[in-house]
Amino acid sequence: MALREVLQFPDPRLKRVSLPIPEVTDAIRELARDMIEVMYDEPGIGLAAPQVGEAVRLFVIDTEWSDEEVGRNPVVVINPEISDRQGRITWEEGCLSVPDYNATVERDARITLRGTDLDGKPIVEHAEGLRAVCIQHEVDHLDGILFIDRISRLKRSLYVKKRKKQLAEESG
Ligand code: ZN
C-alpha cells in the first residue's frame, strides 16, 4: 500500500487546530501505524497527524533511531500536553512539511510531556535537548503552528517568497 503523503507548506490544512481524540479506535491505530512508516521513510524524527491531513491530536516521535546501536523506538502520543516548562534553548529545526529550509528556533529547554499511548496508558516523559525541542515542534503542529511561525518576520517572508517561486517553477 502506498504511504500517506506529507502535506507541505502552504497547504491550509497545516494551519488547522486539531481535535482531541476521545477514544482509540481501529482508525486511530491504523493512522499511528501509517505515520510511523512515513516518519522512517521520509526520514524524520517526528510526525504529527495534521501533516498527513488528519486533524487529530496525535504525534509519533523517535529522536534516536538513526543511531544503529539504539535502533527504532517509535513512541505514539495521543492528546499530548506540555507542562513544567523550564529554561530556554535554541535549536536548528527543519520540518517534513517545510521543504528545503532550516532555521534556529528558541523554545523551552526542559519540559514534561503527558499524554496516553495506543492502549490508553498514561505517558509521562521528562525531556530536554533535542527531545524537548521535537516534542514542542510536534505539539505546535496540533495547534496549526509551524516552526517558521516562530522565526523573525523577515526570515519567514524570505522563506515564503523562496517557496512560492519553487512552487511556480514546479507547476510551470
Ligand atoms: Zn514539523
Side-chain angles (χ1 to χ4, degrees):
M1 206 185 76
L3 291 178
R4 290 185 192 235
E5 183 199 353
V6 176
L7 305 183
Q8 297 194 325
F9 178 84
D11 192 305
R13 288 171 288 178
L14 292 167
K15 295 190 78 171
R16 291 186 295 188
V17 175
S18 295
L19 295 172
I21 295 173
E23 181 191 3
V24 178
T25 58
D26 285 345
I28 292 293
R29 271 185 278 269
E30 194 184 314
L31 171 63
R33 251 197 321 267
D34 290 353
M35 284 170 57
I36 290 168
E37 253 184 88
V38 171
M39 176 176 71
Y40 292 127
D41 181 71
E42 283 283 337
I45 57 174
L47 188 70
Q51 291 181 274
V52 292
E54 303 289 340
V56 292
R57 302 190 80 82
L58 180 160
F59 70 80
V60 298
I61 185 174
D62 188 351
T63 42
E64 290 180 335
W65 68 275
S66 59
D67 182 337
E68 278 177 24
E69 290 190 5
V70 178
R72 291 183 174 187
N73 180 31
V75 175
V76 176
V77 188
I78 293 166
N79 299 331
E81 302 278 352
I82 294 173
S83 59
D84 310 327
R85 300 170 181 269
Q86 288 181 323
R88 299 294 280 169
I89 189 173
T90 53
W91 208 277
E92 169 123 340
E93 294 188 27
C95 178
L96 299 176
S97 296
V98 181
D100 310 316
Y101 190 64
N102 293 290
T104 302
V105 180
E106 191 183 336
R107 295 188 186 272
D108 300 311
R110 289 175 301 282
I111 58 163
T112 300
L113 166 71
R114 285 187 172 80
T116 54
D117 69 12
L118 286 175
D119 299 318
K121 289 197 197 105
I123 290 172
V124 180
E125 182 181 329
H126 304 288
E128 56 179 39
L130 170 64
R131 187 81 173 179
V133 167
C134 189
I135 289 167
Q136 290 169 80
H137 177 119
E138 301 311 331
V139 172
D140 266 358
H141 274 300
L142 306 183
D143 292 322
I145 298 166
L146 298 174
F147 81 95
I148 52 171
D149 299 321
R150 295 195 180 277
I151 60 179
S152 76
R153 205 168 276 212
L154 175 65
K155 277 191 193 163
R156 189 183 191 284
S157 68
L158 287 174
Y159 173 71
V160 172
K161 221 177 264 176
K162 182 178 125 174
R163 177 73 181 139
K164 280 186 182 153
K165 202 176 147 203
Q166 190 183 36
L167 287 170
E169 280 165 4
E170 277 172 19
S171 66

